[in-house]
Amino acid sequence: MKKKTIGWVLLGLVVFGAISFASYHIYQEQMIQSEEENKKVLNDRLTDLYEDQKLGYFKADISAEAFDDLTTEVKNQRGERRTLEEIAQAKKNFEIQTDLNDLFEIEVLNGMDLSAHPVLKTPKENQIQALKERVNESSAKDKEWGQDLSMLLSIADTQAKDFTAAENDVTNLVNKGSELTLSDYLTGVKTLAVLPDGKFKQQLLDKLAPVKNQLANENASFATQIQQSDASMETARKSYQERQAKALAERNKELTALKKELTKKQATYDSYKDLLESIEDSKKEESSRKESEEDSSRESDSDSSSSSDTESLDSTEDE
């Protein structure tokens, strides 16, 4: 093979190697950038499931499927293990909130809104204790969300004990039959008095109705005292609910203030985000321009080098 041909082959290999190295380097940078952007997108998706991630409050009206969908997406995008663990923990916390809401006749916590009048469906004391343990084991137990759940479970615990006591008293009154006295009745219904209005209380009242009617029919004086007892029960109920609602109303005021503050922060964040994206776009354009100039410079240097090598090869061949 002629020296000139060998020189051209060597030159081609050198140029090809340089181009391959540069291409691989660019590919690596693009892959790293793509992974970082992908990670940010997935983390933003997780953040979007919260009303406020720092405080632990989930967005209103989301479901457990939202966490499952995000898990699937992270796996498909080969997201990092840490993100999957965060999603799994978030789903556990959301399930605690869902199970807590399921104890009551209406949702007691939705987003950052607390119900002012939580009423248990039934006195499920074992479930309440199990939920307390789950909250204590939660990663968000010390956050505002965890503290609110503890408060709601404390209310649930108190109601459950009141419900159970009232249920036992009503059952005892009904079982007395003809031996029931007015004194027994007035003593027994005291535990029923403080219960908040709801389906369970109504079931107890319905169960007690035959006994109440029996006593009222036996003696006109009994009927008057029973009516007075009913009025006393209503006063006790209102007092009970007002005490309970007061604490929840104060907490709702705090949460409302927090939501307003978060809205302002979000507006500021969005403004900064738009500004940063604009700056980032400018940087990318500048970087792209510089790369273009560098490529043109390298091509020019390569042409000059090729010309020089060619002249050297021609000179060598002539000799």
Side-chain angles (χ1 to χ4, degrees), residues 92-105:
K92 281 183 180 179
N93 291 340
F94 182 75
E95 287 173 343
I96 293 174
Q97 178 176 311
T98 301
D99 291 343
L100 170 70
N101 281 327
D102 194 50
L103 291 175
F104 295 87
E105 291 189 357

Side-chain angles (χ1 to χ4, degrees), residues 46 66-67 87 128 162 217 240 317:
L46 176 59
F67 298 91
I87 297 170
I128 293 168
D162 290 341
N217 292 334
Y240 176 89
E317 188 176 26

Side-chain angles (χ1 to χ4, degrees), residues 178-221:
S178 60
E179 297 178 2
L180 178 69
T181 66
L182 178 63
S183 177
D184 292 332
Y185 176 84
L186 295 178
T187 301
V189 295
K190 286 181 180 178
T191 52
L192 184 61
V194 298
L195 299 187
D197 287 341
K199 293 179 180 178
F200 188 77
K201 181 178 181 179
Q202 188 58 51
Q203 288 172 7
L204 295 181
L205 289 171
D206 292 343
K207 186 176 181 180
L208 190 63
V211 173
K212 178 181 174 181
N213 293 334
Q214 172 193 327
L215 289 172
N217 292 334
E218 285 179 0
N219 190 306
S221 175

